[in-house]
Structures are given as C-alpha cells and as structure tokens.
C-alpha cells in the first residue's frame, strides 16, 4: 500500500490566542474535519486513507466527493405512474415529484395539471404507456367501475405490465372487487396493494394522509418509501381487500361524526347560542375532534367548496350498507346519515363538501346556523 503523508496546516489564531501562548489553545486551532471521500476524521490537507493521495486533478480539492460515489445498498428510485390527478391525486403526485421521483401520468381524458408538468411530471399517451414506463403504478380514481376500467379496459394498465411491477390502488372502492383485481394482477407476476387514504384535501396537500394498506408484506415494504412521501399514519392492516374494509369503517366514523357535529351546532344555534363560541368551547373538552375542528368551522363559515364531495361519501356508505347486508348486521346510524346525504344530493348539493350535511338538518329545523 502506498505510504500516506500527513500534512497539518494550522489555522490563523485570534489575537488573544497569540497573547496567551497557550499550547493547548494552539492545538485546538488545528481544525479536525471529515474526509470528503471516506467521511473519517482528518486534518485539512490530509489525503484520504483509502487512496493515500488525492486523485489526479483533485489534489488539494476540498469539494465533497460523496455526491457522486456509489453507496453500498443504495438503489435507483422507482419510476411512479400516477393515474388520477384530481383534488387528492394532484398534491399526492406533487409530493413524489418534490421527493425526487420520476412521475409519469396519462393524458387519457385531460391534460395533467400544468404546475405538475412544470415540476417535472412526464406525460405519456394512455394507461398502457404509463404501466409500460413505470415500476410502480398508482391509481386514485372515484369508484370501483373507474378502477376496473383503468386497469382492465381498452389500452388499460394490465396491457403494459411486466412481471415484477407493483400496482397500488389508493381509491376507495369495493373490498370484494379489490380481491378480484388483486388476483388478476398477481397472475401476471405483479404485486397489488389496496391502499385507500383518509385526511381529505387538507391531508393530501400536507402529506399527512392516513394510509390503510391491504396486501403482501414484501410489496408493502417496497411501497413504504413512496407512502411516506404522501402520508404519516401508514399501516399494513392485512391481506388484499382489508385496506378497503378499513377505509369503509373509517368512512362510517367520519360520516356519523359530521352528523353529530352538525346536530350539536344546529341545536345550540336554535337555542340562541353563538355556534362559533360553542365550537370553541367544545374544542377544549371530550367532544373535541378533527371533525369538530375542521368541518365544524366549515359549517359555521359556510365554506362548502369540496374537500371530499357528498356524492363520494354516499358511495362509501353504500359500500358499508351493502357489506352489512351481506354480513347480516345492522348499521342503523349509518343508514340514517346516508339518508341525510341523500337529502343534500336531492337538493343540488351532491358536489359540495360532506360538511354541507348540516344543510339537511337546517332544513328540518327551519333554522340556519347563526340566524
């Protein structure tokens, strides 16, 4: 091995250090840094212990060599295909772009958002091309028929898949059909995860979504770094279909809590109390919840631009009620809340935020919040 020559260069000392004449202070002025190649502690001017000298053209260089060297165990990032760049999908794909992933989308029905294209989104023609280009394909569309069409329709995802790829459906759809989709994808030598999310538009923009995953653990571990760019609470709940079952349960809780918050605020307002101050007081007690915080404020401020549309929550509660019928169980409060959503939809509110459920109760009470 070549002999290593150590060169120590003292750093200019402050005036008080010169005056003190202290040997220890002089020794402290010999700065200890880390080698830009091997990251070991060294002195300025000392060559890396691995090379014995600086490589040709870099002798005396101080630049960081770790930006270009290969690190054992590190692999290139997967290319992500993202189908469904709506209210939820667009910010989710944006986080992946910001994290350095190459993201590919289809211009199947409409052009992808311009801001995503400006940030590096690649556009291809058709779902087939997305699957052919990507290592991981994510779908984020409204309902079960749309997922079926994207995956298995003409020029669909399956026609572009090859063995070893991963399909992740982050839509909220039927658990039963999810299992069927997984079986078909697995038959092609690919993995499938159902990974619906909760958190709405706010969570999608903040990358704080809850992600409920069904599928094999090895596929989940492969997808985990991708999920971590879009969400915070990420759980492998069980095999394929269980992620969607968990999402249905989530939607029952969310719907019934929205209904409870709406009832409480209408009651308080009708009794003469200021609903804004009632909400503020409740946020400090056991009734506090994310629904009261976010959706209660929407109800009071009449801010019903959709974060999650009523028509989509109707779809989710239909899945719950159909599942309950199959299982032979009763969901009485889920059924009642669905009727309130139906009332809203019947009065032209299907595309409003699900917090607009309060309008159904206001009509029944003959009283609006704050009147």
């Amino acid at each position: 091995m070549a002999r290593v020559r150590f060169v120590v260069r003292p750093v200019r000392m402050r005036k008080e250090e010169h005056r003190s004449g202290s040997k220890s202070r002089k020794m402290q002025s010999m700065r200890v840094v880390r080698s830009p190649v091997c990251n070991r502690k060294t002195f300025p001017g000392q060559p890396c212990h691995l090379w014995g000298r600086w490589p040709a053209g870099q002798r005396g260089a101080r630049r960081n060599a770790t930006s270009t060297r290969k690190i054992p165990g590190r692999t290139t990032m997967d290319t992500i295909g993202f189908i469904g760049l709506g209210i939820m999908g667009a910010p989710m794909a944006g986080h992946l772009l910001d994290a350095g992933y190459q993201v590919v989308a289809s211009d199947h029905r409409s052009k992808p958002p311009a801001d995503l294209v400006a940030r590096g989104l690649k556009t291809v023609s058709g779902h087939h091309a997305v699957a052919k280009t990507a290592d991981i394909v994510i779908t984020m569309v409204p309902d079960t028929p749309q997922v079926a069409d994207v995956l298995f329709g003409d020029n669909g995802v399956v026609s572009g898949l090859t063995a070893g790829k991963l399909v992740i459906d982050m839509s909220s759809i039927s658990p039963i059909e999810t299992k069927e989709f997984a079986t078909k994808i697995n038959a092609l030598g690919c993995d499938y995860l159902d990974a619906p999310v909760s958190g709405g538009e706010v969570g999608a923009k903040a990358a704080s979504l809850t992600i409920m995953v069904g599928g094999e653990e090895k596929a989940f571990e492969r997808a985990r770094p991708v999920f971590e760019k879009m969400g915070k609470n990420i759980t492998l709940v069980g095999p394929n279909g269980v992620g969607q079952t968990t999402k249905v349960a989530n939607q029952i809780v969310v719907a019934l809590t929205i209904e409870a918050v709406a009832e409480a605020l209408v009651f308080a307002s009708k009794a003469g109390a200021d609903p804004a101050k009632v909400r503020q007081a409740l946020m400090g007690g056991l009734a506090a919840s994310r629904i009261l915080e976010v959706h209660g404020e929407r109800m009071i401020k009449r801010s019903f631009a959709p974060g999650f549309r009523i028509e989509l929550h109707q779809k989710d509660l239909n899945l719950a009620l159909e599942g309950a019928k199959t299982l032979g169980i009763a969901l009485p409060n889920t059924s009642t809340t669905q009727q309130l959503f139906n009332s809203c939809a019947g009065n032209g509110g299907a595309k409003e935020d699900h917090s607009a459920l309060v309008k159904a109760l206001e009509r029944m009470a003959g009283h609006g919040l704050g009147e």
Side-chain angles (χ1 to χ4, degrees), residues 141-218:
V141 296
D143 204 349
T144 307
Q146 285 79 21
V147 175
D149 181 60
V150 165
L151 295 180
F152 308 109
D154 293 338
N155 202 32
V157 166
V158 294
S159 61
L161 291 177
T162 53
K165 296 194 175 188
L166 170 62
V167 177
I168 306 173
D169 178 36
M170 303 190 78
S171 318
S172 297
I173 66 170
S174 164
I176 295 173
E177 293 190 58
T178 289
K179 294 177 183 179
E180 297 174 0
F181 297 163
T183 299
K184 293 178 181 179
I185 297 297
N186 292 157
L188 300 174
C190 300
D191 290 314
Y192 186 95
L193 296 174
D194 48 295
V197 302
S198 178
E201 182 182 11
V202 172
K205 288 182 175 180
S208 61
L209 294 168
T210 290
I211 305 177
M212 300 151 269
V213 188
E216 296 294 329
E217 186 171 1
K218 65 180 178 65

